[in-house]
Amino acid sequence: MSQNRITVAVDIGGTFTDLELRDDTTGLAHSLKSPTTPDDPARGLADALLLAAERFGFALSDIGLILHGTTIATNAVLTRDLPDGALITTEGFEDVLEIGRHARRDIYALRGPDRSVLIPRRRRFGAPGRIGAAGEVVRPLDAAALDSVISRVADSGVEATAICLLNAFANPAHEIAIRKALLARCPGMAVSCSHEVSPEIREFERTATTVLNAQLVPVIHRYVTAVRKRLSDAGVTAPVYLIQSNGGAISLDAAVQAPVKLLLSGPSGGVLAAQKLARSLNTPDVVGVDMGGTSYDVAVISGGQRTVVTQGEIDGLPVRVPMVEMHTIGAGGGSIAFVDASGRLQVGPRSAGAVPGPVCYGRGGQEPTVTDINLILGRLDPSTFLGGRFALDLDGARAALRDRMEVPLNLDTDHAASGILSVVNAKLAASIKFSLFAKGLDPRDFALMSFGGAGGVHAIEVAEELGITEVIFPRDPSTFSAHGILSSDIQHDLSRTEILPLASASLAALAAMAEDLRARGTALLDADAIAPERRVLRLTADLRYRGQAFELMTDMPDGPCTEQTLATLRERFEEQHRQRFSFDDPDEAVELVTMRLVAIGRLGDEGRTAARHSPSEDRATGTRPVHVNGAWAEVPVHRQLSLAPGEVIDGPAIIEQEYTTLLIPGHWSLTMTETGDMTARKQP
């Protein structure tokens, strides 16, 4: 790592680019928000760094490390802005993507939903040859037939190709041979092999993940190239790491080869920060919610731990890589309110985004958004938004509400605006219920932790819908995901599939798998130049009862594989099974499906304590009309920086920060902590 003193975390969202930076010599931290530039996000990144350097008094050459969360991969998938791709698979398995899984989301539907297939049938090619389930070569590759397949791929003019052969996780020899032949014919093509992207069982998910990775390689390669040029032109020489869906960091070169790991890049930082803050506040059970301009992300932290899953989904596409478990809906400050064809009031998932943005931004927006409604109802101050650097157009927002909502619904301003807030708050509460009920958890047992630029004016009202009586607001909620990214470490996820009974006869095989994974993880950390004392290697096992079609990820004990290892694994697995499904079966055989290793390289933030909050001398407060608790009231307005540790503010009240606003309704009180984080509790 560079010895330069500034560490920067960047989270580029759909509306704003958030920065958190830390001076490693003084320990001082700063936050900043700058508009995202959707036409060229790398330009927005460079602009934000220049603005931060000017405001906080450092040179860009002082930056020693940049940790970067990005939605580039996610947006490319959601908009299907992907290059044309091809798939080479085992002959006879060309239709795996369309066959998929027999899983009915709506059991009463007369027909299933249309499946999203990224590669059409004409560009899916069968390769001659076959690997068996144990890794044996059942049928060798036919050189002449393979040459024909390679020619057809080359003639298709695609920019990316995925290679996913049957049982390649057990023996990748055929995939390696096909890649070599393809690159010899098409040296500039982006090629992804399943044994590197997702070396696990389940053909459909492995194929879909490999296809998505291949088509994202050119997208991320172009972005990384643009970032390097923008930073170089600005005089930034610091190494840059991208944040993965698992919350860990990865080098730019490694990210280009495995871009599918970036799909939850930014939101995962918020989960890391929420977990860290929950522990510091001794509140182990927390629902973290991130409300930005376009989306609302929900993550459950139970017992102080976030959940990592081995498979997720993005816009109907399965993704089989480790990721922080999160539920996302299209509801944010930029979500558009409208009246549908049946005359019903709806909010989202369409968003005004950064361009043109809400009507009140004055950038050409015509449809009222959630931000416009909060402005109309007095919850936002048009003169102090983004620290007063971004004046809001209240008259424009009112006109849009009148034309688009009041007239069609025959409602006055107050009823139309409060109706929109009721709809969006109900959507937010429903997404939290979904995340908790799926785990058999009761919202009333959790605190709500609200962050993101738009969440502060909704959090307590959403909590009341759920019966939650405690709401936590981080010190800098608007840039909280970037704050979490600031604590990220390098992380590599490795896996090896081999179905084995959890029995004494498997000990030698288990030991060999563990040794292989540790060696591979060590080699990756060697390549990252991580010192031995800054490394952590953790093994887990995907276990199931024999005959089950799903597994539970179970922590493996440290040390060599022994009989005690087997006993501990079984005990931990059955405890998880009881918690998740309310039963276990001590008489049923347990089997291992996949062993995993997380290789972590510490980047230096461990042990750092949060700075004590010191109130500013400016104690000036005022009041303004705010629509709260169903009526207009003259509500006190406080500046967060003026509140002293231990100070209590009774609602109704407004707490203003530089980049966001918090609404404290009546019958709630807010307490400032020593670190500047705030806790609101419902009064009896």
Side-chain angles (χ1 to χ4, degrees), residues 5-13 16-24 28-34 44-46 48-49 52 56 58 63-70 223 231 236 238-243 247 249 265-266 268-270 272-273 276 476 478-489 603 605:
R5 64 187 180 92
I6 303 295
T7 299
V8 177
V10 185
D11 178 23
I12 298 182
F16 288 102
T17 294
D18 298 342
L19 261 67
E20 281 263 345
L21 57 93
R22 181 182 67 236
D23 187 325
D24 291 323
L28 293 177
H30 305 282
S31 61
L32 179 141
K33 291 180 82 72
S34 178
L45 168 59
L49 291 175
F56 303 122
F58 64 89
I63 299 175
L65 176 65
I66 297 176
L67 299 166
H68 177 14
T70 175
Y223 179 65
L231 295 182
V236 178
V240 180
Y241 288 86
L242 293 179
I243 303 303
S265 176
S268 66
L272 289 176
K276 184 176 179 181
D476 293 306
S478 185
T479 57
F480 196 56
S481 289
H483 176 72
I485 289 172
L486 201 60
S487 301
S488 293
D489 295 313
L603 289 179
D605 189 47

Side-chain angles (χ1 to χ4, degrees), residues 362-449:
R363 294 175 171 174
Q366 301 295 319
E367 299 176 278
T369 67
V370 173
T371 296
D372 294 309
I373 302 309
N374 280 310
L375 177 64
I376 290 168
L377 293 179
R379 299 171 177 220
L380 300 179
D381 187 336
S383 64
T384 61
F385 190 72
L386 288 187
R389 301 194 317 275
F390 197 112
L392 299 180
D393 181 5
L394 176 57
D395 291 337
R398 285 173 172 162
L401 178 67
R402 180 186 63 247
D403 296 342
R404 301 294 181 119
M405 307 298 295
E406 294 177 34
V407 173
L409 294 173
N410 192 27
L411 294 173
D412 60 32
T413 298
D414 288 354
H415 284 91
S418 59
I420 290 170
L421 282 188
S422 295
V423 170
V424 73
N425 286 342
K427 289 185 67 173
L428 304 182
S431 68
I432 295 173
K433 288 179 183 177
F434 176 87
S435 297
L436 289 171
F437 289 175
K439 299 176 180 294
L441 300 173
D442 189 334
R444 294 170 295 182
D445 296 331
F446 284 75
L448 183 69
M449 185 180 295

Side-chain angles (χ1 to χ4, degrees), residues 641-672:
L641 291 178
S642 72
L643 302 180
E647 187 167 353
V648 178
I649 301 295
D650 292 325
I654 290 286
I655 311 296
E656 286 190 342
Q657 299 175 288
E658 184 174 9
Y659 299 123
T660 192
T661 299
L662 313 181
L663 173 67
I664 314 302
H667 310 297
W668 284 74
S669 64
L670 179 135
T671 303
M672 173 67 72

Side-chain angles (χ1 to χ4, degrees), residues 102-398:
H102 182 68
R104 297 179 61 123
R105 294 176 183 267
D106 184 352
I107 61 174
Y108 300 109
L110 296 178
R111 58 177 299 233
D114 294 333
R115 188 177 299 283
S116 181
V117 179
L118 295 181
I119 297 180
R121 184 62 176 82
R122 67 180 182 277
R123 295 204 301 266
R124 302 200 296 264
F125 307 100
R130 185 70 174 264
I131 298 291
E136 74 279 15
V137 177
V138 176
R139 179 158 57 99
L141 285 172
D142 184 306
L146 177 59
D147 187 65
S148 174
V149 169
I150 297 297
S151 296
R152 292 166 66 194
V153 173
D155 293 342
S156 70
V158 298
E159 194 176 347
T161 298
I163 303 173
C164 186
L165 304 183
L166 201 65
N167 297 316
F169 59 85
N171 182 354
H174 285 185
E175 285 194 351
I176 294 171
I178 293 173
R179 176 172 58 187
K180 181 178 179 181
L182 181 59
L183 289 176
R185 181 72 175 270
C186 309
M189 183 175 289
V191 180
S192 294
C193 293
S194 73
H195 74 273
E196 295 174 335
V197 175
S198 183
E200 301 177 26
I201 62 169
R202 297 190 172 88
E203 203 68 17
F204 168 54
E205 292 81 5
R206 185 162 60 96
T207 304
T209 303
T210 307
V211 164
L212 196 54
N213 191 83
Q215 291 185 277
L216 283 171
V217 167
V219 175
I220 298 303
H221 180 267
R222 286 191 285 268
Y223 179 65
V224 164
T225 301
V227 166
R228 282 175 164 152
K229 185 178 187 310
R230 290 282 185 184
L231 295 182
S232 176
D233 290 346
V236 178
T237 60
V240 180
Y241 288 86
L242 293 179
I243 303 303
Q244 306 171 84
S245 301
N246 59 18
I250 190 172
S251 70
L252 293 182
D253 290 336
V256 169
Q257 296 305 312
V260 75
K261 296 180 178 180
L262 305 178
L263 289 171
L264 292 180
S265 176
S268 66
V271 181
L272 289 176
Q275 179 183 19
K276 184 176 179 181
L277 180 55
R279 288 175 176 173
S280 70
L281 295 177
N282 197 27
T283 308
D285 297 318
V286 165
V287 182
V289 292
D290 181 358
M291 187 174 182
T294 56
S295 64
Y296 190 72
D297 303 318
V298 181
V300 177
I301 298 168
S302 181
Q305 299 295 324
R306 68 186 188 275
T307 302
V308 175
V309 294
T310 58
Q311 180 175 314
E313 184 179 282
I314 177 168
D315 201 27
L317 301 170
V319 181
R320 193 161 181 81
V321 294
M323 59 182 65
V324 174
E325 188 175 30
M326 195 176 304
H327 176 58
T328 300
I329 62 171
S335 294
I336 293 170
F338 63 98
V339 179
D340 66 15
S342 67
R344 293 186 305 167
L345 173 60
Q346 303 278 6
V347 182
R350 281 195 310 126
S351 173
V355 179
V359 177
C360 61
Y361 283 12
R363 294 175 171 174
Q366 301 295 319
E367 299 176 278
T369 67
V370 173
T371 296
D372 294 309
I373 302 309
N374 280 310
L375 177 64
I376 290 168
L377 293 179
R379 299 171 177 220
L380 300 179
D381 187 336
S383 64
T384 61
F385 190 72
L386 288 187
R389 301 194 317 275
F390 197 112
L392 299 180
D393 181 5
L394 176 57
D395 291 337
R398 285 173 172 162

